[in-house]
Amino acid sequence: MAGGGSAIRGSRVGAGPMGEAERGDTAPRQRVVFFCANGHETATVFAVEAAVPEAWDCPRCGLPTSTDVNNPPPPVKIEPYKTHLAYVKERRSETEAAEILEEALEKLRARRARGEVIF
């Protein structure tokens, strides 16, 4: 059974394309091209009176870009995740670490000698 319906489907009162006469003229625009270190080219449109940023993120690889085709910015150096041990090694020398370890082992041996349960 076919449903009855309206001749105008998927629209509402007042819907439809609006011309420039109804919404006004568009702002003057400029096309700016950015380049990344991988050779990707990204064109972006800005309003003429808007300040164009010096850097932009490449949508293809995520590297920073610039408007200079011959001198794109280098990739950002990503520091690897540091473990707790890596931070401790930055603060302590090997001799300090050995002294702290020996002190902790002495305490542990003393507790065992007293018969304490250690988990």
Side-chain angles (χ1 to χ4, degrees):
M1 172 189 242
S6 167
I8 304 173
R9 282 210 168 145
S11 66
R12 62 184 189 281
V13 175
M18 293 182 4
E20 286 191 15
E22 294 177 7
R23 72 174 172 239
D25 294 332
T26 58
R29 298 168 191 249
Q30 63 179 330
R31 184 175 182 264
V32 180
V33 182
F34 292 95
F35 304 93
C36 75
N38 286 341
H40 299 139
E41 184 177 314
T42 303
T44 308
V45 178
F46 294 96
V48 171
E49 57 270 350
V52 177
E54 292 182 18
W56 195 261
D57 289 337
C58 178
R60 294 172 82 189
C61 64
L63 291 178
T65 63
S66 72
T67 55
D68 187 2
V69 67
N70 296 324
N71 195 15
V76 178
K77 184 178 178 187
I78 299 173
E79 292 290 327
Y81 173 77
K82 286 187 181 179
T83 63
H84 177 70
L85 180 61
Y87 283 110
V88 170
K89 286 184 177 181
E90 285 180 358
R91 295 190 309 265
R92 308 265 189 229
S93 68
E94 289 291 327
T95 56
E96 288 175 319
E99 289 172 8
I100 293 170
L101 176 62
E102 188 58 39
E103 183 180 317
L105 288 173
E106 285 175 14
K107 288 180 183 178
L108 183 64
R109 289 179 186 126
R111 287 178 62 190
R112 282 189 177 166
R114 290 190 305 254
E116 292 182 32
V117 179
I118 300 169
F119 291 101

